[in-house]
Amino acid sequence: MSTAVLQLIINGLLLGGIYALISIGLTLIFGVVEIINFAHGEFLMLSMYASYWLFQLYGVDPYVSLFVVIPAFFAIGWAVQRIIIQPIIHAPPLNQIFATVGMSLVLQNAALFFWKADYRTVRTAYSTVSFSGLMISTPRLVAFVFALAIIAALLIFLKRTYTGKAIRALAQEKRAAMLMGIDIYRMYKIAFGIGIACVGAAGAILIPIYYAFPTVGAMFVLIAFVVVILGGYNSLVGALIGGLIIGMVEAFSGFFLSPHLKEAVYFVIFILILLLRPAGLFGRA
Amino acid sequence: MPIWGRSILLDLENISAHYGDVQALENVSLRIKEGQIVSIVGSNGAGKSTTLNTISGVIQSSSGTIEFLGKRIENLPPHRIVELGIVQIPEARLLFPYMTVLENLELGAFNPQARKGTGENLEAVFRLFPVLEDRKNQLAGTLSGGEQQMLAIARGLMARPKLLMLDEPSLGLAPLLVKQVFETVKEINAQGITVLLVEQNVFHSLSIADEAYVLENGRVVLGGQGKEILSNPQVKEAYLGI
């Protein structure tokens, strides 16, 4: 394999880890709460700003800020579920779409109002390392490692703990979960909190390699939707692998076609999956 | 019947329930004494499952009261009702198909009371259904129909119920397995668990019932001892075809 191809695979995987982390939050919320969170990208935007301001005002390293951002965004997710989603949980899908799309617009415009449209980023001291001809950007590598570690922690939580099992049970058979004594509204809050904490973590590890601006979320959430459909909308492992695949698709299409065409390539994939395998690669029909 | 069998465990008084504008239950009253097997029979759409779901708190009653051990429960959420000791095994089993047999059983013991005794409860249900122990690491969705019904009952027992409500446990099972299910229900009852049984298999369910109620269009039209109802001419004609 030529160095160029290997370099593309590395670039794609490193990017894909972050896509996976964003998408896994979206999948969890969709699978458990059965809500499509159209404001998912805006929580990414908020956490990028949170990390940015923690760095600017208090000199907190973005990776250290994870320890603030993750619990804070879990709490935000919990509160959003309790205050905004819970009242419309039995409403028709259209009302639910309006609620989360509305939340997305409010958050975008609030960000524009408070922080202007400027592009902001954090320049860290970390630099690129070279390894036998391959260039690996340290912040991207660190982001990838953090993303995978968080995803692994989440999967272990869902597999091993009682609460995790209850969340999976609820996603598989809601009525039985209720009849077995699981407080489903509490599980909704936990699942929404975890989903938002994941996207919050993604924002914090993105800020050293990307810019925060009020509409940054829209771009990433579009990718996340493609990843979720590719992986199977109810499979967390699917979201992980889907994220890595889309990261590589982006790297390869950017190199062989044109970086400007990457979105076209996502959507061709998106349409192909919907036509050929609507349940996704790992989905359950 | 033992002395403790006399006290009233569950008391439904004039319960009505609606699905939107459609009335599903109309002034249903029924009493279940501790230690009994009580059957509810009736045709499709008579309100049998609705009755169980109203007791479980999955459906909110529109009027009437439900008392369990002297405590009003009609406004409690489902998980609180399970904690009190009322457990429903739903129609069509509703297992968690992508989880193992063991995980399904653990989730049966989700409420804090039952969770403390998980180990000992597991032993008890494996004694009742040895095949589940052999299959404990298999996904629930891959079990045969009979095994799935055993798992559904076992999962319900893991919650340490005082009152176990079974909704159509024999539905879709081969005749031999149907007999086994009713044997199991008797065995569970013999261990001191009160049973509320909803069945389309009228003959079997009335034969093992201490008391029974006949539901029609959301109303109780007949109530009494199981054997009495079994020999009622109208019941014979309507449900047994004799």
Side-chain angles (χ1 to χ4, degrees):
Chain A
M1 210 180 324
S2 79
T3 314
V5 172
L6 206 57
Q7 180 74 53
L8 286 175
I9 291 176
I10 290 169
N11 289 355
L13 282 178
L14 294 189
L15 197 61
I18 296 171
Y19 292 167
L21 186 55
I22 299 170
S23 311
I24 240 168
L26 195 62
T27 303
L28 187 70
I29 291 170
F30 183 69
V32 178
V33 193
E34 295 178 322
I35 285 273
I36 302 172
N37 181 22
F38 285 103
H40 205 65
E42 277 54 54
F43 290 102
L44 183 81
M45 176 269 292
L46 286 181
S47 77
M48 288 174 84
Y49 274 111
S51 235
Y52 172 80
W53 288 116
L54 280 169
F55 180 79
Q56 287 297 325
L57 301 176
Y58 306 105
V60 180
D61 185 284
Y63 303 121
V64 176
S65 79
L66 272 178
F67 296 95
V68 180
V69 166
I70 290 176
F73 275 69
F74 177 83
I76 292 170
W78 177 291
V80 166
Q81 171 64 29
R82 175 67 196 84
I83 297 163
I84 296 174
I85 308 297
Q86 193 159 305
I88 52 158
I89 201 91
H90 302 295
L94 202 57
N95 298 22
Q96 297 176 341
I97 290 171
F98 279 133
T100 60
V101 170
M103 186 158 57
S104 149
L105 292 176
V106 167
L107 292 175
Q108 264 182 32
N109 286 286
L112 192 60
F113 180 78
F114 288 114
W115 304 315
K116 311 287 178 277
D118 302 335
Y119 281 43
R120 300 166 195 266
T121 189
V122 168
R123 286 275 158 257
T124 52
Y126 317 111
S127 62
T128 301
V129 290
S130 176
F131 180 75
S132 63
L134 296 170
M135 304 297 283
I136 298 172
S137 132
T138 313
R140 282 177 188 258
L141 182 64
V142 173
F144 179 74
V145 171
F146 269 114
L148 284 201
I150 293 166
I151 291 168
L154 174 60
L155 293 178
I156 291 169
F157 165 78
L158 291 172
K159 187 82 194 158
R160 298 260 177 257
T161 68
Y162 238 111
T163 306
K165 287 175 191 177
I167 288 173
R168 278 159 59 215
L170 172 56
Q172 288 176 27
E173 189 51 73
K174 177 168 140 189
R175 216 161 69 79
M178 286 166 89
L179 293 176
M180 291 306 117
I182 294 167
D183 180 353
I184 62 166
Y185 292 102
R186 187 180 145 76
M187 293 306 153
Y188 285 161
K189 284 180 278 203
I190 295 173
F192 212 97
I194 293 173
I196 298 302
C198 284
V199 75
I205 56 180
L206 254 180
I207 193 72
I209 49 183
Y210 208 77
Y211 302 93
F213 50 94
T215 52
V216 64
M219 200 192 89
F220 282 95
V221 87
L222 218 57
I223 296 170
F225 278 118
V226 177
V227 168
V228 168
I229 296 296
L230 174 65
Y233 59 88
N234 49 15
S235 163
L236 296 183
V237 174
L240 168 60
I241 294 174
L244 298 178
I245 292 175
I246 291 296
M248 282 206 273
V249 166
E250 181 171 330
F252 277 85
S253 67
F255 184 79
F256 288 108
L257 296 170
S258 152
H260 305 295
L261 283 176
K262 65 179 193 194
E263 266 136 15
V265 177
Y266 301 149
F267 285 110
V268 168
I269 292 176
F270 188 80
I271 291 165
L272 284 178
I273 301 160
L274 288 178
L275 285 175
L276 302 175
R277 200 177 151 78
L281 296 179
F282 297 85
R284 299 158 184 150
Chain B
M1 176 167 297
I3 291 296
W4 43 263
R6 293 281 162 215
S7 64
I8 290 170
L9 192 63
L10 185 79
D11 190 356
L12 268 73
E13 208 67 65
N14 292 318
I15 284 290
S16 296
H18 294 78
Y19 292 111
D21 293 334
V22 183
Q23 183 152 24
L25 294 179
E26 195 184 333
N27 295 322
V28 168
S29 296
L30 54 92
R31 283 207 177 90
I32 298 169
K33 292 179 198 149
E34 225 171 304
Q36 281 186 327
I37 296 179
V38 174
S39 281
I40 301 179
V41 296
S43 54
N44 267 343
K48 306 185 300 284
S49 296
T50 307
T51 306
L52 295 196
N53 283 328
T54 309
I55 298 169
S56 284
V58 176
I59 294 171
Q60 192 65 44
S61 55
S62 35
S63 64
T65 62
I66 307 176
E67 272 184 25
F68 182 68
L69 290 167
K71 192 176 180 270
R72 295 273 291 271
I73 62 162
E74 70 270 13
N75 292 319
L76 294 182
H79 67 274
R80 295 275 304 116
I81 290 170
V82 172
E83 270 171 46
L84 291 174
I86 303 180
V87 176
Q88 184 192 151
I89 295 166
E91 189 181 337
R93 327 192 217 293
L94 305 187
L95 298 173
F96 306 119
Y98 304 105
M99 299 177 95
T100 64
V101 168
L102 194 59
E103 284 175 322
N104 269 272
L105 293 173
E106 283 170 352
L107 284 162
F110 189 79
N111 80 75
Q113 298 299 323
R115 209 181 301 178
K116 280 180 274 178
T118 303
E120 163 191 334
N121 289 353
L122 262 182
E123 278 174 36
V125 300
F126 284 153
R127 263 201 306 278
L128 196 59
F129 304 112
V131 64
L132 293 182
E133 188 164 20
D134 302 335
R135 302 230 188 284
K136 68 181 175 194
N137 295 318
Q138 204 171 314
L139 292 184
T142 65
L143 298 179
S144 73
E147 289 164 349
Q148 289 197 10
Q149 186 56 57
M150 288 180 205
L151 179 55
I153 295 175
R155 184 180 64 174
L157 288 172
M158 288 298 290
R160 297 210 139 162
K162 295 188 177 83
L163 172 65
L164 189 66
M165 306 193 293
L166 297 102
D167 195 354
E168 308 273 11
S170 78
L171 197 68
L173 296 182
L176 202 67
L177 291 172
V178 171
K179 246 184 100 181
Q180 220 176 63
V181 164
F182 283 100
E183 287 302 317
T184 306
V185 170
K186 273 162 73 181
E187 213 173 312
I188 290 167
N189 179 249
Q191 290 173 11
I193 297 172
T194 309
V195 172
L196 176 56
L197 181 62
V198 159
E199 258 297 339
Q200 36 91 44
N201 192 323
V202 175
F203 178 75
H204 268 111
S205 95
L206 290 180
S207 316
I208 66 166
D210 297 301
E211 286 191 39
Y213 295 86
V214 180
L215 273 185
E216 252 170 44
N217 300 322
R219 277 179 311 210
V220 174
V221 293
L222 203 59
Q225 289 188 351
K227 305 246 157 44
E228 224 173 82
I229 302 228
L230 194 54
S231 55
N232 180 298
Q234 281 149 306
V235 171
K236 271 189 172 167
E237 199 191 316
Y239 300 106
L240 299 170
I242 42 177

